[in-house]
Amino acid sequence: MINFHDRLVPHARDAQQSDIRAATRIVEAMGGINLAQGTCALPVAEELMEAASRAMRKGHNSYTFFDGIPRLKEAVARRCAAYNRLPVGPENVLVTSGATGAFEVVCKSFIHPGDRVVMFEPIYQYHVRQARHAGADVRFVPLAPPEWDFDPAVLEDALSGGARLLVLSNPHNPTGKVFTSAELAVVAELCIRHDVVAVVDEVYEYILGPGMEHTSLAALPGMFERTVSLSSASKTFFVTGWRVGWLTGPPEVLGALGRMSDETYVCAPAPFQHAVSEGLDFPDAFFEQIRAPFHRRMQQLVEALEEIGWEPCAPRGAYYVLARYPPGFGGDDRTAMHALLDATGVAAVPGREFFPSRADSGMLRFCYAVSDETLERACDQMMRLRPS
């Protein structure tokens, strides 16, 4: 009998399920409350669901152009020009199979084995894994809690001497950091000085705290021609399973990225491309109110965590809270995750999932993109840990 395990390439043979997915499986098996995976359980706009249904009934169920249907590319360009202040047209847009598919295409297209790729830590692990699968030597620049600041000198050291890509998410997963214009100006200046291409994941661009504004790195002087920006319908429209994303950037690079996307995914789901193209043309008021449900939820979760003696870092964007658990609560992140589940029935993600350079973080990540009822039950059940 063939030993298939030995026939696999090393990164497939050694691949493990992420702690995010593992926590979801565990909590669903026990019937608990899932604050682990960022699926976003808020209701989808009826107009968008009707647009998807209408697209299917009209027969938009076959392959599309690999780079996306023209109407969607035009809608993405209009929204990016208006909101992100980017000088884009349809020729600057590549539709992909979600932002994850977009990032995979970037890694396959840009990274040679041994190339240095710089990322801020904590980091969304899919970015690390995909870069490493392409052969990257990943260098981490730490973000320091509670504000998740970075040291420009450390970033410059990481970028100098031949770094190929800088990867960041803004708003940031898992910290909820929203990079300021001043911080992005530092990033831009260093990318230009060291001739580095920036890859920016902006999927949470509309999910911001009160008074916060989103600034796209690509909109800064000298950066559009050296930045590839990723976004998607998943977080903007609460449709994480539709798998419609897009890349924006200079047209001379999107052709190669598009051919790689074609070889990897063929195209994004056809009817959902049509639906999202309608959604992106919703009135500005729709996009302005996206942030509204999240701030109240964030405050509720942060207050509950503080009440049980944990130390949450209140985010400025996205919909996650990283919280430091008390000393002795389980001893390490995975043990703490199980201790929380056993005591309260609430699932969170071990912080070590987001700190690849560390054995442990002393933190768990909670997702609050859930219904009012779910969050209320989770906070109530966590009160079992309240110090007496």
Side-chain angles (χ1 to χ4, degrees):
M1 179 181 294
I2 292 176
N3 185 335
F4 280 105
H5 181 270
D6 291 343
R7 302 292 180 95
L8 295 171
V9 297
H11 71 255
R13 185 169 59 243
D14 300 333
Q16 296 182 1
Q17 184 181 44
S18 74
D19 283 338
I20 299 173
R21 302 297 188 268
T24 293
R25 288 183 182 274
I26 292 169
V27 72
E28 289 184 354
M30 65 181 291
I33 301 173
N34 189 1
L35 299 189
Q37 190 169 352
T39 55
C40 195
L42 275 65
V44 179
E46 286 292 337
E47 305 97 307
L48 197 69
M49 291 193 289
E50 176 54 34
S53 176
R54 186 167 58 249
M56 290 182 226
R57 291 195 301 269
K58 286 184 174 181
H60 296 303
N61 301 301
S62 300
Y63 299 133
T64 70
F65 294 132
F66 67 82
D67 56 338
I69 63 171
R71 181 178 178 182
L72 177 54
K73 295 177 67 174
E74 292 163 2
V76 170
R78 283 192 295 272
R79 182 114 291 275
C80 286
Y83 182 70
N84 305 85
R85 300 179 179 86
L86 298 180
V88 296
E91 70 278 6
N92 299 107
V93 178
L94 168 64
V95 177
T96 59
S97 183
T100 302
F103 189 72
E104 181 178 7
V105 166
V106 167
C107 291
K108 287 181 174 179
S109 301
F110 279 104
I111 299 173
H112 301 94
D115 280 346
R116 189 192 317 159
V117 174
V118 178
M119 301 183 181
F120 290 102
E121 186 186 52
I123 183 69
Y124 178 50
Q125 266 282 18
Y126 274 34
H127 289 165
V128 181
R129 290 175 182 144
Q130 287 181 316
R132 284 179 170 164
H133 288 171
D137 172 19
V138 180
R139 179 87 61 90
F140 297 107
V141 174
L143 297 171
E147 298 300 324
W148 303 106
D149 301 317
F150 67 91
D151 184 338
V154 175
L155 177 59
E156 178 160 29
D157 180 65
L159 293 176
S160 63
R164 192 164 188 86
L165 300 177
L166 170 68
V167 177
L168 71 149
S169 59
N170 183 35
H172 186 260
N173 176 10
T175 68
K177 175 183 178 63
V178 176
F179 284 80
T180 66
S181 296
E183 288 175 321
L184 292 173
V186 170
V187 172
E189 193 274 328
L190 292 175
C191 285
I192 293 169
R193 183 190 307 173
H194 297 288
D195 194 25
V196 174
V197 171
V199 181
V200 187
D201 185 336
E202 298 187 307
V203 296
Y204 298 99
E205 59 194 321
Y206 293 100
I207 303 176
L208 302 166
M212 302 304 298
E213 292 187 6
H214 176 69
T215 300
S216 289
L217 182 64
L220 272 61
M223 286 305 293
F224 183 75
E225 57 266 31
R226 65 170 60 250
T227 302
V228 179
S229 303
L230 288 60
S231 195
S232 79
S234 292
K235 308 305 193 294
T236 299
F237 296 109
F238 313 153
V239 288
T240 54
W242 282 18
R243 313 318 301 143
V244 177
W246 47 85
L247 285 163
T248 55
E252 58 268 23
V253 73
L254 291 188
L257 294 176
R259 291 187 291 275
M260 188 64 71
S261 181
D262 181 22
E263 292 175 4
T264 307
Y265 293 106
V266 181
C267 65
F272 297 140
Q273 287 192 54
H274 287 269
V276 172
S277 71
E278 293 191 33
L280 288 171
D281 282 333
F282 285 170
D284 287 344
F286 174 88
F287 298 92
E288 292 166 0
Q289 60 79 37
I290 288 173
R291 68 175 73 189
F294 295 101
H295 182 61
R296 173 175 49 81
R297 287 172 167 80
M298 183 274 287
Q299 288 182 307
Q300 183 178 0
L301 179 57
V302 165
E303 289 170 4
L305 289 166
E306 289 175 338
E307 192 166 345
I308 64 174
W310 292 38
E311 297 178 17
C313 297
R316 304 293 174 84
Y319 47 60
Y320 306 105
V321 172
L322 271 174
R324 190 172 299 282
Y325 50 85
F329 187 82
D332 61 55
D333 291 355
R334 281 187 177 161
T335 306
M337 175 193 76
H338 287 286
L340 180 68
L341 265 171
D342 291 343
T344 69
V346 175
V349 181
R352 60 184 287 174
E353 172 76 5
F354 309 101
F355 291 86
S357 70
R358 300 189 198 174
D360 227 44
S361 74
M363 307 178 104
L364 299 183
R365 191 200 74 174
F366 297 80
C367 172
Y368 53 87
V370 295
S371 69
D372 288 338
E373 178 188 6
T374 297
L375 187 60
E376 187 72 34
R377 284 197 302 123
C379 291
D380 285 347
Q381 291 181 203
M382 285 195 293
M383 288 304 107
R384 298 173 189 173
L385 298 176
R386 185 165 44 193
S388 55

